[in-house]
Amino acid sequence: MEYLKAFLVGGLICMAAQILMEKTKLMPGRIMVLLVCTGAVLGALQIYEPLLDFAGSGASVPLTGFGYNLWKGIKEAIDNDGMIGLFRGGFKMAAVGTSAALIFAYLASLVFQPKMAK
């Protein structure tokens, strides 16, 4: 049942992003920023954490989960360190995911020999 919940919630988030891509004139980068900001806002409104408890990876893997992670890190850092946490917290919470994405993207570029578009 866990897999089904994760699949449904993750699928709904991705479906919403796909609808935005196809039905609006928003560029993909702006849609990505919108998803990250949505996760942060839903985290601040205390809506995203129950969704994470319900769906697990279905809610934590999409970009909205990244936004929630940034918000959570900033909130914890502000609680512990004051206003300097505003600048430090997001980096601390998202460092592992961002590092993994960079490392795996680099490895993929070595394996598949990407070419620049002309």
Side-chain angles (χ1 to χ4, degrees), residues 43-44 46 69-80 85 89-90:
Q46 298 180 348
N69 251 355
L70 288 175
W71 172 83
K72 185 177 172 186
I74 290 170
K75 180 182 177 294
E76 288 175 5
I78 287 175
D79 291 343
N80 294 335

Side-chain angles (χ1 to χ4, degrees), residues 36-112:
V36 171
C37 291
T38 300
V41 169
L42 290 176
L45 296 174
Q46 298 180 348
I47 296 172
Y48 208 79
E49 192 154 353
L51 185 63
L52 275 174
D53 293 338
F54 174 76
S57 293
S60 66
V61 171
L63 284 173
T64 50
F66 180 70
Y68 170 75
N69 251 355
L70 288 175
W71 172 83
K72 185 177 172 186
I74 290 170
K75 180 182 177 294
E76 288 175 5
I78 287 175
D79 291 343
N80 294 335
D81 304 328
M83 284 307 285
I84 194 72
L86 181 65
F87 304 103
R88 190 180 350 193
F91 293 119
K92 184 178 175 186
M93 264 322 243
V96 172
T98 305
S99 298
L102 289 171
I103 290 167
F104 288 119
Y106 177 72
L107 292 174
S109 74
L110 292 177
V111 172
F112 295 106

